[in-house]
Amino acid sequence: MYIVKRLLMMLLTIWVIATLTFVIMKSIPGDPFASDANVLPKEVLENIRAKYNLDEPLPVQYVLYMKNLATLDMGPSIKSETRSVNDIITDGIPVSAQLGVQALVIALFFGLILGIIAALYHNRAIDFTAMMLAIIGISVPNFILAPLLIKYFSVQWHMLPVASWGTWQHTILPSFALAATPLAVIARFMRSSMIDVMNQNYIKTADAKGLSTFKLVIRHGIRNAILPVITFIGPLAVTLITGTFVIEKIFAIPGLGKYFVDGIFNRDYPVIMGTTIFFSSILVTILFLIDISYRLIDPRIKLTSGGN
C-alpha cells in the first residue's frame, strides 16, 4: 500500500512540475519566432505558429501538450526541423549518463573510504588530512578544477586528451572534475555518521565481546552509518547522471546539458520543457527508489504509512 501511494505521489509531482514548466514558459513575453517578425512575411509566421499550435488559446495548448506528454511525446524541436525533443534526449542522455555514472562511482568509492578512514582515526593526522582534502574539494568549484586538470594532465604532462568525446580516456578528466565536490561531501557525511554509529552502545558491546575491528565496521558500522549518505545520493545521482552543463561545456561533451543550454539561448520551448520534465522525472523516480532501498538496508524501517 505504501509503494502504491508513493507511486501516485510520484506521478502527481511530475504532473505539477510539467504544469508549472508550461505556465512559466508561456508567461515569457514573445515566442520563439518573435525575432523573425521583421524578416518573414506575416502569412509565413502565422503558418509556422499554427504548425506548433502557438495560435491556439493557452488552455488548448496545455491540453494538447499534456496529451502528448502522456504518450511520452515531447513534441518537435522548434529550432531543429529534422529532430524531435525525444531524439535530442535520446542522443544526449547516454553521454551524460555515462559521464554521470562514472562520476557517481568515483564519488561514492573514494568518498566512503575517505569518510570511514577519517572516522576510524578520529582526531588523528589521517583524520585531519582527509578532512582538509574534503574542504578543498568542496571549496574549489568544478569550473575551476576542470581547467586545472586540463592544464596539467593534458597540456603539460600529455597523459590524457584535452577534450571532446569518443574513447574511455576522454571520460577520465571530466568524471573526476564532476566527482570532486560530491566526493568531498560524501566523505564528510560518512565521517560524521560513522563517528556517531561507532559510539553507540551496541558497537561497544560487540567490541567488548571480542569482535574484530574489521567485522565491527563491516557488519554494524557501515550498514547503519550509510543511511544519511543514501539520502544525499538521490539528488546527487540525478545531478551527475543527467549531466552538468558547465563540465560538458568545458570539455566539449555532447551531453544533454549542452542541448538544454542551447534550447535556452534559442528559446526552443519544447526542448526546455522536455528536458526539464525529463530531469524532474528522473529525480522523482530515484527518490522513490531511495525510499524503498531504506527498507532493504535497515529492516527496522517499515514500508507502511504508519511506520516510523
Side-chain angles (χ1 to χ4, degrees):
M1 189 64 182
Y2 172 79
I3 295 179
V4 174
K5 288 182 179 180
R6 291 290 291 124
L7 281 172
L8 293 176
M9 183 62 67
M10 182 176 67
L11 294 175
L12 178 62
T13 302
I14 294 174
W15 172 75
V16 171
I17 292 172
T19 301
L20 290 176
T21 304
F22 177 86
V23 172
I24 292 173
M25 287 293 100
K26 296 303 179 180
S27 64
I28 298 175
D31 59 48
F33 307 105
S35 59
D36 300 324
N38 298 326
V39 179
L40 298 177
K42 181 179 179 181
E43 293 77 9
V44 174
L45 284 175
E46 290 177 352
N47 290 334
I48 293 176
R49 290 192 175 101
K51 177 182 177 180
Y52 295 102
N53 298 317
L54 297 177
D55 59 334
E56 299 286 353
L58 284 180
V60 176
Q61 293 185 41
Y62 175 75
V63 171
L64 291 174
Y65 183 74
M66 296 304 296
K67 180 180 179 181
N68 292 333
L69 194 60
T71 60
L72 302 181
D73 182 7
M74 300 290 186
S77 169
I78 291 178
K79 295 299 181 179
S80 179
E81 298 181 356
T82 59
R83 304 175 71 197
S84 66
V85 177
N86 291 48
D87 294 333
I88 291 174
I89 293 176
T90 302
D91 292 342
I93 193 58
V95 176
S96 295
Q98 180 183 348
L99 175 62
V101 168
Q102 289 183 192
L104 182 62
V105 171
I106 292 171
L108 284 173
F109 181 77
F110 290 103
L112 291 176
I113 290 178
L114 200 63
I116 293 170
I117 293 175
L120 295 179
Y121 294 91
H122 183 46
N123 287 335
R124 300 181 189 178
I126 295 178
D127 181 22
F128 296 141
T129 302
M131 287 304 97
M132 182 182 67
L133 293 175
I135 291 173
I136 294 174
I138 295 174
S139 303
V140 180
N142 55 24
F143 61 82
I144 293 179
L145 179 62
L148 291 175
L149 293 176
I150 293 174
K151 177 183 177 181
Y152 290 106
F153 287 92
S154 298
V155 178
Q156 290 191 5
W157 300 337
H158 304 288
M159 295 176 61
L160 295 167
V162 176
S164 189
W165 194 260
T167 64
W168 64 269
Q169 291 94 333
H170 289 90
T171 69
I172 296 177
L173 291 184
S175 294
F176 273 94
L178 193 58
T181 298
L183 187 157
V185 175
I186 289 174
R188 290 177 63 85
F189 268 139
M190 193 63 187
R191 172 186 177 272
S192 176
S193 182
M194 194 72 178
I195 291 174
D196 181 65
V197 169
M198 296 303 289
N199 286 324
Q200 297 295 319
N201 290 332
Y202 68 90
I203 295 290
K204 295 178 180 179
T205 301
D207 186 33
K209 290 181 178 180
L211 195 67
S212 66
T213 302
F214 178 80
K215 292 182 178 180
L216 197 64
V217 170
I218 297 298
R219 291 183 181 179
H220 303 287
I222 295 178
R223 184 174 184 177
N224 293 285
I226 204 173
L227 287 175
V229 178
I230 291 178
T231 303
F232 173 71
I233 290 175
L236 169 64
V238 176
T239 302
L240 295 180
I241 293 175
T242 54
T244 302
F245 70 90
V246 174
I247 295 299
E248 292 182 1
K249 191 71 174 179
I250 293 175
F251 288 95
I253 297 173
L256 194 58
K258 171 183 176 297
Y259 294 117
F260 179 73
V261 174
D262 290 344
I264 294 175
F265 282 113
N266 295 328
R267 300 190 69 172
D268 197 337
Y269 294 166
V271 171
I272 298 173
M273 296 166 67
T275 51
T276 299
I277 295 171
F278 182 75
F279 287 157
S280 303
S281 299
I282 294 180
L283 173 60
V284 173
T285 302
I286 290 181
L287 291 178
F288 167 76
L289 295 176
I290 292 297
D291 285 346
I292 303 302
S293 68
Y294 283 153
R295 178 64 177 84
L296 300 177
I297 295 173
D298 191 347
R300 294 172 298 178
I301 300 175
K302 303 298 182 181
L303 292 183
T304 59
S305 57
N308 295 323

